Amino acid sequence: MIIRLKKSIVIVFLLAFSNVNSQCNSWIQQDFDSFEYTTVCPYIIPGTTYQNSPQGAGFGPSYTGTRHIYLNFQNGYIGPAFDRPYAVCIGQTYRISFYHRDAWGGQNNTTFNIYDANNVLVSSAVVTWTGTAWNNFVSPALTATTSTLRLEIVNNSATLGNNDMVIDDMQIEMCGISETASYTFCGTANSIDLFSLFSSNMPVNGTWSGPTALSNGNSGTFNPLNNAPGVYEYQLPNSGFCNQSPSEVTVDVAGVIDLGADTTICAGSSITLTADPGFDAYLWSNGAITQSILVNQAGTYSVEGSFQSGNVISNGDFSAGNTGFNTDYTLGTGGPWGLLSNPNTYAISTSPSNVHTNFQPCGDHTTGTGNMLIVNGASTPNSNVWCQAVNVSPNTDYSFSCWISNALFDPNVAILQFYVNGAPIGNTFSTAVAGCTWNQYVDTWNSGVLTSANICIINQNTTGGGNDFVIDDIVFSTLCTSSDAITVSVEAPTQSINSVDPVCFNGTDGEIHVDNAMAIDYSNDGGITWQSDSFFVNQSIGTYSVCSRTQLGCVLCQNVVINNPAQVSISVSNDEIICENGTAVMSAWSNAVNGITFHWDHTADTLGSQSVSPAVNTTYSVYAENEFGCTSSIETINVTLNPPISGNITLLQTICAGESANITASASGGMGAPYTFTWSTAEFGVSNTNHTITVSPTDSMDFIVTITDGCESTPLVITTRINVGQIPQPQFAVTNPYQCEPAVFEIVNSTDPAQSETISWIVDGNQFFGNSNLITTDSLYAGDYNVSLTVTSYEGCVGTLDSIESLSVNPIPVANFSYTPNPVMMFNPQVLFSNTSVDAMDYQWYFEDANILESNLENPSVNFPEGIVSDYNVTLIAISEYGCADTIHQLVKVNPEVIFYAPNTFTPDGDEFNQTFRVFMEGIDIYKFEMLIFNRWGEIVFESKDISLGWDGTYNGKSAPVGIYVWKIVAKDFFNDSKYMYTGHVNLIK
């Protein structure tokens, strides 16, 4: 029973299966199901749960992915709810695992059963746990005896809501038993069973194959006298998907160290001696333990190589756990500081800190993550920490090694020693003080006549404090050796060197002479190229690496300098600057005393002084030569010409007759300022840069200036021209210069077209017209107006004609009149017209229906028809002295006279006659009329402001009594607002 309080889970295993393999080095996944689908899960037994398909996040989280199996047991159900078969291979080892948790945090009680194809229960685990934390169920390792293994999950509790569970990531794994091993023979005739090189997990029913046939069946005995080296395979007798890769053993025969023949080296050099590869360790006669050594002295050197072959230790890296060895220590069972709280205990784990709280966290030596043997040292001396019985070959050397480390930082370290068959081999060894520091210790042992041995690691430290250590990667293997020696001699030649410098500066006739009695060839370039002659001739100046080489190949090198003799000197005069057409004198001289000549590039003359007059900038070179033909460096003299005089003059100008123009000439080049300017107009000037003249030609002409400097420069002659243009004479004509207002004038340009490139107009100072020969003005009113015409010629000369008051606009008279009387009455229609026109001298009258229809009088009198009320048109045309006319039209209204009529009796008796009383008037304003009717008591019985409305003889809705009634009428004149009032009476009768 294993109780883990932290997860509140209890698992009780019942094992009932065949051939349980307690250790497996490699599990191979055969089937994995994360239940990532939504269809019905075929492994849920129908009727046992409420859900029969994988569920998503709504039923709690999955271990991986998004779905899982939710075993929501039906109310009161107890028994199997999940049943999943797996096809397996007979003889192979398997384990089944999955993750599970309570669905809602309750308490579970469940059984996980595994059956074979015959329904034989081969594994059963009763599991109880509390909470929703994930638990990982892993079955024991099961070796299949039938072709099927079946997982069954059984609910043991009928308590509602407390036993629902979730499962996810279910898998079955097969133990992989494919292994590899290697073995190397030391050249002896001893045999070995290759099967013994595998772990104890390897089945014994396999067969061997390889380069040659092995003997003794599955043991695979290899005899180096009969069998060839190579790779031998061990295949298990399975088929189909149960096949596993064959295990392999690589067999080699140890090589032999051969350092080669004796050799000679040159003094000051060295040689690398290298032993043959393939050995685990090397030991040279000078104490070196590397494969190669560097030798630079004479002597005899030897080396011995050794290697380990065929580790016979089982589970030496403890990857298979607590198996394959025996010990005087006991397996740790716990205490206040962990499993190894007590001395004389051990544990197999991946880190010391896992088994003791004071131990340090360390990785194992093999991979950093695997198992190691962790020991709390005993206070009993010579306690066996680790022992194992092994098979050995007689008369064979063996290497016994292991890796050790302190479990914590403590100076009281373990004192360990290797033992074989109860006897110590080698010296004691200890771990480093610092924890987690791996060190290897190795000793050797010869088997003699023995064929088996009991090998041990013992601890001789008896101190209780400290003495805690870790062991990993124990090896006990055949130790093969091979050795060889070589003699190295030293050769030491000598050399001397002489050199001869060249005759002339930078010459190539130097020499180098080498003397070495042992040399056979020579080099002057550091050994790149070689020659058999010890003289080097025709050598240039410089540093040479001169070498000589012996028959053995020993090379002596030293630097030799061939010096440069002094060069013939030369000096020259300064560079010269001359003017165009000038002459320069050049000089050269040398420190040489005798036989010196000068070689110029422009002449065969060898004198040191030369006169030249180049036409362009020229560089002259010269060198000196002494009587031995040695030359100086080449020197140069630059003769630079001032540039030719260059200049500019004002470009072509055009002026108008009577105008002046400035002409400016400028200069540069030559020897520079001042310059002299001589003009064709006889003017003369001296200036640093330019000179200006002012001219007023009457006709177009050219102007020439000659520019000189104070040197031999060629004078510069440049020319310009001034064109003289004539001023145009503008002319225009007005079609009709005198008009009545509003007036619009047409004006025509009559200027000579040959003088007119562009024209412009201004009328009345504010009307502007562009380039047009005919213009039409805007409307102008009474007054005189100026016209200005500007003409620009093709040379740009401008002429303007300003015509004063050339346009005349006469005013229009104002026609008007009045008449009397006003108003005109119908019975007196004679009318006198008064002419009030302005600026008129002639008049024309027109009268409608009058006794006179037309008149030329200034103030005529006419009669309109009498007694007729009407409107009559009257027209007056007023004409000025310039013939300008204005017309006015007026209506003369003939008005009616005021007429009043009122009856004295009316009879409102209901017949068709004389039913109302009303009055009749003409010549009044009908909108300013009022009539009142009173009875005899002065009461108003009728009132009206509408002249067309009469009294119907009623009062207050009843017929008024017969009698006399008084009326009063008030009215106003239609024309002059005069007031009229009338009174009278009317007799109402029936």
PDB file of all heavy atoms in Angstrom, residues 251-274:
ATOM      1  N   VAL A 251      32.080  -6.028 -32.374  1.00  0.00           N
ATOM      2  CA  VAL A 251      33.305  -6.691 -31.905  1.00  0.00           C
ATOM      3  C   VAL A 251      34.475  -6.145 -32.710  1.00  0.00           C
ATOM      4  O   VAL A 251      34.442  -6.153 -33.953  1.00  0.00           O
ATOM      5  CB  VAL A 251      33.204  -8.219 -32.056  1.00  0.00           C
ATOM      6  CG1 VAL A 251      34.508  -8.883 -31.575  1.00  0.00           C
ATOM      7  CG2 VAL A 251      32.007  -8.754 -31.273  1.00  0.00           C
ATOM      8  N   ASP A 252      35.509  -5.643 -31.991  1.00  0.00           N
ATOM      9  CA  ASP A 252      36.734  -5.150 -32.624  1.00  0.00           C
ATOM     10  C   ASP A 252      37.925  -5.893 -32.027  1.00  0.00           C
ATOM     11  O   ASP A 252      37.861  -6.404 -30.910  1.00  0.00           O
ATOM     12  CB  ASP A 252      36.926  -3.648 -32.370  1.00  0.00           C
ATOM     13  CG  ASP A 252      35.912  -2.824 -33.145  1.00  0.00           C
ATOM     14  OD1 ASP A 252      35.595  -3.194 -34.282  1.00  0.00           O
ATOM     15  OD2 ASP A 252      35.424  -1.803 -32.588  1.00  0.00           O
ATOM     16  N   VAL A 253      39.004  -5.922 -32.797  1.00  0.00           N
ATOM     17  CA  VAL A 253      40.282  -6.460 -32.315  1.00  0.00           C
ATOM     18  C   VAL A 253      41.210  -5.277 -32.109  1.00  0.00           C
ATOM     19  O   VAL A 253      41.333  -4.409 -32.987  1.00  0.00           O
ATOM     20  CB  VAL A 253      40.885  -7.464 -33.304  1.00  0.00           C
ATOM     21  CG1 VAL A 253      42.266  -7.920 -32.830  1.00  0.00           C
ATOM     22  CG2 VAL A 253      39.955  -8.663 -33.460  1.00  0.00           C
ATOM     23  N   ALA A 254      41.827  -5.178 -30.934  1.00  0.00           N
ATOM     24  CA  ALA A 254      42.632  -4.013 -30.582  1.00  0.00           C
ATOM     25  C   ALA A 254      43.775  -3.830 -31.560  1.00  0.00           C
ATOM     26  O   ALA A 254      44.371  -4.791 -32.062  1.00  0.00           O
ATOM     27  CB  ALA A 254      43.185  -4.158 -29.175  1.00  0.00           C
ATOM     28  N   GLY A 255      44.093  -2.549 -31.837  1.00  0.00           N
ATOM     29  CA  GLY A 255      45.215  -2.227 -32.698  1.00  0.00           C
ATOM     30  C   GLY A 255      46.536  -2.275 -31.943  1.00  0.00           C
ATOM     31  O   GLY A 255      46.586  -2.530 -30.749  1.00  0.00           O
ATOM     32  N   VAL A 256      47.614  -1.985 -32.661  1.00  0.00           N
ATOM     33  CA  VAL A 256      48.966  -1.997 -32.108  1.00  0.00           C
ATOM     34  C   VAL A 256      49.564  -0.619 -32.306  1.00  0.00           C
ATOM     35  O   VAL A 256      49.438  -0.022 -33.380  1.00  0.00           O
ATOM     36  CB  VAL A 256      49.837  -3.068 -32.786  1.00  0.00           C
ATOM     37  CG1 VAL A 256      51.279  -2.985 -32.266  1.00  0.00           C
ATOM     38  CG2 VAL A 256      49.253  -4.441 -32.552  1.00  0.00           C
ATOM     39  N   ILE A 257      50.242  -0.087 -31.260  1.00  0.00           N
ATOM     40  CA  ILE A 257      50.888   1.218 -31.374  1.00  0.00           C
ATOM     41  C   ILE A 257      52.205   1.044 -32.127  1.00  0.00           C
ATOM     42  O   ILE A 257      53.037   0.199 -31.790  1.00  0.00           O
ATOM     43  CB  ILE A 257      51.135   1.825 -29.986  1.00  0.00           C
ATOM     44  CG1 ILE A 257      49.801   2.200 -29.333  1.00  0.00           C
ATOM     45  CG2 ILE A 257      52.032   3.057 -30.095  1.00  0.00           C
ATOM     46  CD1 ILE A 257      49.953   2.804 -27.956  1.00  0.00           C
ATOM     47  N   ASP A 258      52.399   1.883 -33.162  1.00  0.00           N
ATOM     48  CA  ASP A 258      53.630   1.879 -33.955  1.00  0.00           C
ATOM     49  C   ASP A 258      54.047   3.323 -34.165  1.00  0.00           C
ATOM     50  O   ASP A 258      53.404   4.068 -34.900  1.00  0.00           O
ATOM     51  CB  ASP A 258      53.394   1.182 -35.295  1.00  0.00           C
ATOM     52  CG  ASP A 258      54.669   1.086 -36.123  1.00  0.00           C
ATOM     53  OD1 ASP A 258      55.741   1.492 -35.616  1.00  0.00           O
ATOM     54  OD2 ASP A 258      54.586   0.620 -37.282  1.00  0.00           O
ATOM     55  N   LEU A 259      55.146   3.743 -33.499  1.00  0.00           N
ATOM     56  CA  LEU A 259      55.615   5.120 -33.615  1.00  0.00           C
ATOM     57  C   LEU A 259      56.463   5.332 -34.864  1.00  0.00           C
ATOM     58  O   LEU A 259      56.869   6.471 -35.142  1.00  0.00           O
ATOM     59  CB  LEU A 259      56.434   5.502 -32.382  1.00  0.00           C
ATOM     60  CG  LEU A 259      55.647   5.544 -31.056  1.00  0.00           C
ATOM     61  CD1 LEU A 259      56.601   5.906 -29.914  1.00  0.00           C
ATOM     62  CD2 LEU A 259      54.507   6.535 -31.139  1.00  0.00           C
ATOM     63  N   GLY A 260      56.723   4.299 -35.653  1.00  0.00           N
ATOM     64  CA  GLY A 260      57.495   4.441 -36.872  1.00  0.00           C
ATOM     65  C   GLY A 260      58.989   4.290 -36.641  1.00  0.00           C
ATOM     66  O   GLY A 260      59.464   3.997 -35.542  1.00  0.00           O
ATOM     67  N   ALA A 261      59.780   4.528 -37.733  1.00  0.00           N
ATOM     68  CA  ALA A 261      61.238   4.350 -37.686  1.00  0.00           C
ATOM     69  C   ALA A 261      61.874   5.504 -36.934  1.00  0.00           C
ATOM     70  O   ALA A 261      61.308   6.566 -36.777  1.00  0.00           O
ATOM     71  CB  ALA A 261      61.783   4.264 -39.110  1.00  0.00           C
ATOM     72  N   ASP A 262      63.130   5.235 -36.460  1.00  0.00           N
ATOM     73  CA  ASP A 262      63.890   6.293 -35.815  1.00  0.00           C
ATOM     74  C   ASP A 262      64.054   7.451 -36.788  1.00  0.00           C
ATOM     75  O   ASP A 262      64.092   7.270 -38.010  1.00  0.00           O
ATOM     76  CB  ASP A 262      65.259   5.768 -35.375  1.00  0.00           C
ATOM     77  CG  ASP A 262      65.146   4.707 -34.277  1.00  0.00           C
ATOM     78  OD1 ASP A 262      64.062   4.647 -33.652  1.00  0.00           O
ATOM     79  OD2 ASP A 262      66.106   3.965 -34.068  1.00  0.00           O
ATOM     80  N   THR A 263      64.230   8.679 -36.260  1.00  0.00           N
ATOM     81  CA  THR A 263      64.265   9.855 -37.123  1.00  0.00           C
ATOM     82  C   THR A 263      65.248  10.868 -36.592  1.00  0.00           C
ATOM     83  O   THR A 263      65.718  10.777 -35.439  1.00  0.00           O
ATOM     84  CB  THR A 263      62.860  10.494 -37.217  1.00  0.00           C
ATOM     85  OG1 THR A 263      62.904  11.539 -38.175  1.00  0.00           O
ATOM     86  CG2 THR A 263      62.412  11.034 -35.864  1.00  0.00           C
ATOM     87  N   THR A 264      65.616  11.818 -37.464  1.00  0.00           N
ATOM     88  CA  THR A 264      66.516  12.914 -37.102  1.00  0.00           C
ATOM     89  C   THR A 264      65.796  14.228 -37.342  1.00  0.00           C
ATOM     90  O   THR A 264      65.140  14.399 -38.382  1.00  0.00           O
ATOM     91  CB  THR A 264      67.811  12.869 -37.935  1.00  0.00           C
ATOM     92  OG1 THR A 264      68.475  11.624 -37.715  1.00  0.00           O
ATOM     93  CG2 THR A 264      68.739  14.021 -37.558  1.00  0.00           C
ATOM     94  N   ILE A 265      65.983  15.174 -36.435  1.00  0.00           N
ATOM     95  CA  ILE A 265      65.384  16.490 -36.588  1.00  0.00           C
ATOM     96  C   ILE A 265      66.486  17.526 -36.610  1.00  0.00           C
ATOM     97  O   ILE A 265      67.632  17.254 -36.212  1.00  0.00           O
ATOM     98  CB  ILE A 265      64.397  16.815 -35.449  1.00  0.00           C
ATOM     99  CG1 ILE A 265      65.110  16.854 -34.098  1.00  0.00           C
ATOM    100  CG2 ILE A 265      63.243  15.833 -35.432  1.00  0.00           C
ATOM    101  CD1 ILE A 265      64.214  17.302 -32.945  1.00  0.00           C
ATOM    102  N   CYS A 266      66.160  18.677 -37.089  1.00  0.00           N
ATOM    103  CA  CYS A 266      67.123  19.769 -37.172  1.00  0.00           C
ATOM    104  C   CYS A 266      67.166  20.505 -35.847  1.00  0.00           C
ATOM    105  O   CYS A 266      66.160  20.609 -35.126  1.00  0.00           O
ATOM    106  CB  CYS A 266      66.737  20.729 -38.291  1.00  0.00           C
ATOM    107  SG  CYS A 266      66.686  19.936 -39.914  1.00  0.00           S
ATOM    108  N   ALA A 267      68.333  21.029 -35.530  1.00  0.00           N
ATOM    109  CA  ALA A 267      68.486  21.788 -34.297  1.00  0.00           C
ATOM    110  C   ALA A 267      67.522  22.964 -34.288  1.00  0.00           C
ATOM    111  O   ALA A 267      67.359  23.668 -35.286  1.00  0.00           O
ATOM    112  CB  ALA A 267      69.930  22.275 -34.162  1.00  0.00           C
ATOM    113  N   GLY A 268      66.891  23.151 -33.138  1.00  0.00           N
ATOM    114  CA  GLY A 268      65.936  24.263 -33.009  1.00  0.00           C
ATOM    115  C   GLY A 268      64.542  23.940 -33.466  1.00  0.00           C
ATOM    116  O   GLY A 268      63.624  24.732 -33.281  1.00  0.00           O
ATOM    117  N   SER A 269      64.317  22.774 -34.095  1.00  0.00           N
ATOM    118  CA  SER A 269      62.975  22.391 -34.535  1.00  0.00           C
ATOM    119  C   SER A 269      62.430  21.329 -33.612  1.00  0.00           C
ATOM    120  O   SER A 269      63.071  20.915 -32.650  1.00  0.00           O
ATOM    121  CB  SER A 269      63.008  21.895 -35.979  1.00  0.00           C
ATOM    122  OG  SER A 269      63.793  20.712 -36.073  1.00  0.00           O
ATOM    123  N   SER A 270      61.242  20.887 -33.882  1.00  0.00           N
ATOM    124  CA  SER A 270      60.601  19.869 -33.046  1.00  0.00           C
ATOM    125  C   SER A 270      59.834  18.919 -33.936  1.00  0.00           C
ATOM    126  O   SER A 270      59.598  19.186 -35.128  1.00  0.00           O
ATOM    127  CB  SER A 270      59.657  20.522 -32.027  1.00  0.00           C
ATOM    128  OG  SER A 270      58.642  21.247 -32.691  1.00  0.00           O
ATOM    129  N   ILE A 271      59.422  17.803 -33.354  1.00  0.00           N
ATOM    130  CA  ILE A 271      58.634  16.793 -34.061  1.00  0.00           C
ATOM    131  C   ILE A 271      57.537  16.318 -33.135  1.00  0.00           C
ATOM    132  O   ILE A 271      57.738  16.223 -31.914  1.00  0.00           O
ATOM    133  CB  ILE A 271      59.539  15.621 -34.531  1.00  0.00           C
ATOM    134  CG1 ILE A 271      58.720  14.642 -35.383  1.00  0.00           C
ATOM    135  CG2 ILE A 271      60.165  14.921 -33.330  1.00  0.00           C
ATOM    136  CD1 ILE A 271      59.585  13.543 -36.003  1.00  0.00           C
ATOM    137  N   THR A 272      56.364  16.055 -33.683  1.00  0.00           N
ATOM    138  CA  THR A 272      55.249  15.538 -32.905  1.00  0.00           C
ATOM    139  C   THR A 272      55.202  14.032 -33.049  1.00  0.00           C
ATOM    140  O   THR A 272      55.124  13.502 -34.172  1.00  0.00           O
ATOM    141  CB  THR A 272      53.914  16.148 -33.380  1.00  0.00           C
ATOM    142  OG1 THR A 272      53.974  17.561 -33.183  1.00  0.00           O
ATOM    143  CG2 THR A 272      52.750  15.584 -32.589  1.00  0.00           C
ATOM    144  N   LEU A 273      55.292  13.332 -31.916  1.00  0.00           N
ATOM    145  CA  LEU A 273      55.161  11.880 -31.897  1.00  0.00           C
ATOM    146  C   LEU A 273      53.732  11.547 -31.498  1.00  0.00           C
ATOM    147  O   LEU A 273      53.241  12.010 -30.460  1.00  0.00           O
ATOM    148  CB  LEU A 273      56.151  11.275 -30.900  1.00  0.00           C
ATOM    149  CG  LEU A 273      57.620  11.619 -31.128  1.00  0.00           C
ATOM    150  CD1 LEU A 273      58.484  10.954 -30.043  1.00  0.00           C
ATOM    151  CD2 LEU A 273      58.072  11.191 -32.518  1.00  0.00           C
ATOM    152  N   THR A 274      53.062  10.753 -32.323  1.00  0.00           N
ATOM    153  CA  THR A 274      51.650  10.454 -32.099  1.00  0.00           C
ATOM    154  C   THR A 274      51.445   8.957 -32.060  1.00  0.00           C
ATOM    155  O   THR A 274      51.831   8.237 -32.998  1.00  0.00           O
ATOM    156  CB  THR A 274      50.770  11.059 -33.205  1.00  0.00           C
ATOM    157  OG1 THR A 274      50.968  12.475 -33.226  1.00  0.00           O
ATOM    158  CG2 THR A 274      49.296  10.763 -32.957  1.00  0.00           C
TER     159      THR A 274
END
